[in-house]
Each structure stands twice: as structure tokens, then as C-alpha cells.
Amino acid sequence: MLYYLKGTVGHLAPNLAVMDCGGVGFACSTTSHTLSRLQVGEEAKLYTHLNVREDAMELYGFASENERSCFQMLISISGVGPKAALSVLSATTPEGLAAAIITGDEKTLTAAPGIGKKIAQRIILELKDKLAKGQLSAEGEQGGMAVTVIPQDKTSEASAALAVLGYSAGEIASALKGLDLDALPLEEIIRQALRRMVK
């Protein structure tokens, strides 16, 4: 329904950004990473997700499409609600989340307030499972080129992590080309590749 909001930042509070768009203030629940990029009185753009429940409609806003995409993946997991998803994405970046899923790093997820070991394991298991079934594939769509084994080398891990974020095999290959894959840590490889794809 709402893809993004572009306007003036009217108010900021913990986990909340109010966007003034044409005189209407939209309250968007958000992450600490998004809040750190916003300043009251300045123009900004937030990619949105509208969560409709029987008793409420809640709007969530993110500074990047990657962050929104990760939020939507997280809330698709049984037992992970919007609050838990915001908590995870406040504790780590989209590239950090993707790396944690591929490498099975529970500690990155349990660093988020309210995320226990069981939920962290479920997030890793379900998103790895979707990747293996081709639902989050190297083609970035249903039924594409599935990664059936969790890869061991950094190139494969970075490629699989970027596929988790929805990029196609061609985009990933192009973004990784020329990066010093041996010297850089996995999360930095993912970060630099994402920077190239966003340009």
C-alpha cells in the first residue's frame, strides 16, 4: 500500500520517527540504525511496511530497502513479531544478519534485547531452510538456483548472504568482482558489495 514516505522528519523518539509529508505526520516504528540517520527538520525517505491487525494498523519505516526486506523476512518466521524484528535489526545491520544466518552465528541474534537462544535458532534454521529450498535463492526469487549446502569459503558465504537479501546471481557476481575477498572479513565483503549494488 505505502512503498515509501518522503518528507521532513517532524519528531524522533526511541524506536519512532514521525515523518511530516504534506502536513500529515506519519508515525513509523523503526530501528536504532535508521534513527541514527535522521535529524529533526531535515528531509528524509523511509521505506515502509504497513502491518495490519484486527485491532490496529502499524507503520514501520526503514532507511534502506535492505533493512525493510530483512524486517519482512523476520516477521514471516513463526514466533517473531514486529517488535522482535526491530530489536534484531537495531542490534545488527542487514549484512550482519545475513552473515549470521549463513554462518549459524546465534550470538549476533541473541545480542538483541528480547531474543533468546530458541528464537535465534529458529531464525537461523528457517531462513537457511528457505535459502536451501530456493525460496531465498541465488536468483532472488521463488524456485531459482537454490543453495543446498551451507558454503564454507568466504566467496560462497558472501554470495549466499547476498542471496538472502534478495539479490540475483548476476548482481552478486558483479558486486563481488574486484573485492579483496581473502583479506576482508565476511561482513565487510557483504557491506562493500551492498554499497556497490545500491549505487
Side-chain angles (χ1 to χ4, degrees):
M1 183 180 171
L2 291 170
Y3 192 80
Y4 66 78
L5 294 174
K6 190 174 183 180
T8 306
V9 180
H11 176 71
L12 295 175
N15 298 322
L16 180 74
V18 178
M19 296 294 293
D20 184 338
C21 303
V24 179
F26 291 88
C28 299
S29 297
T30 190
T31 66
S32 58
H33 293 295
T34 289
L35 286 173
S36 70
R37 297 188 186 185
L38 304 175
Q39 284 197 337
V40 173
E42 289 193 0
E43 191 173 280
K45 181 178 182 178
L46 292 184
Y47 294 93
T48 55
H49 172 85
L50 183 63
N51 193 49
V52 181
R53 299 191 331 227
E54 279 184 28
D55 57 344
M57 287 201 307
E58 299 163 326
L59 192 60
Y60 296 85
F62 306 93
S64 72
E65 289 184 271
N66 284 330
E67 197 174 32
R68 178 181 61 184
S69 163
C70 286
F71 174 81
Q72 290 169 334
M73 282 192 296
L74 287 167
I75 62 172
S76 74
I77 296 167
S78 172
V80 180
K83 277 188 181 176
L86 286 183
S87 181
V88 169
L89 290 170
S90 287
T92 188
T93 58
E95 54 269 27
L97 174 63
I101 291 161
I102 296 304
T103 58
D105 177 12
E106 292 173 19
K107 285 184 181 177
T108 294
L109 301 180
T110 55
I115 303 297
K117 192 171 181 177
K118 283 187 179 178
I119 291 288
Q121 286 172 340
R122 188 180 301 156
I123 290 169
I124 290 168
L125 185 68
E126 288 202 23
L127 292 182
K128 267 187 186 178
D129 195 41
K130 284 184 180 183
L131 185 66
K133 287 177 180 173
Q135 293 173 331
L136 297 167
S137 68
E139 291 297 330
E141 59 191 358
Q142 296 284 337
M145 194 175 84
V147 179
T148 49
V149 208
I150 297 308
Q152 297 304 313
D153 64 279
K154 277 198 280 187
T155 306
S156 300
E157 286 182 336
S159 297
L162 291 164
V164 167
L165 295 175
Y167 289 99
S168 71
E171 288 172 319
I172 292 166
S174 177
L176 293 178
K177 196 175 179 182
L179 291 180
D180 190 349
L181 300 174
D182 293 326
L184 294 169
L186 178 63
E187 195 169 330
E188 185 57 31
I189 292 168
I190 299 166
R191 186 175 289 114
Q192 289 194 23
L194 283 172
R195 210 172 285 141
R196 288 178 170 193
M197 287 189 275
V198 168
K199 283 180 182 177

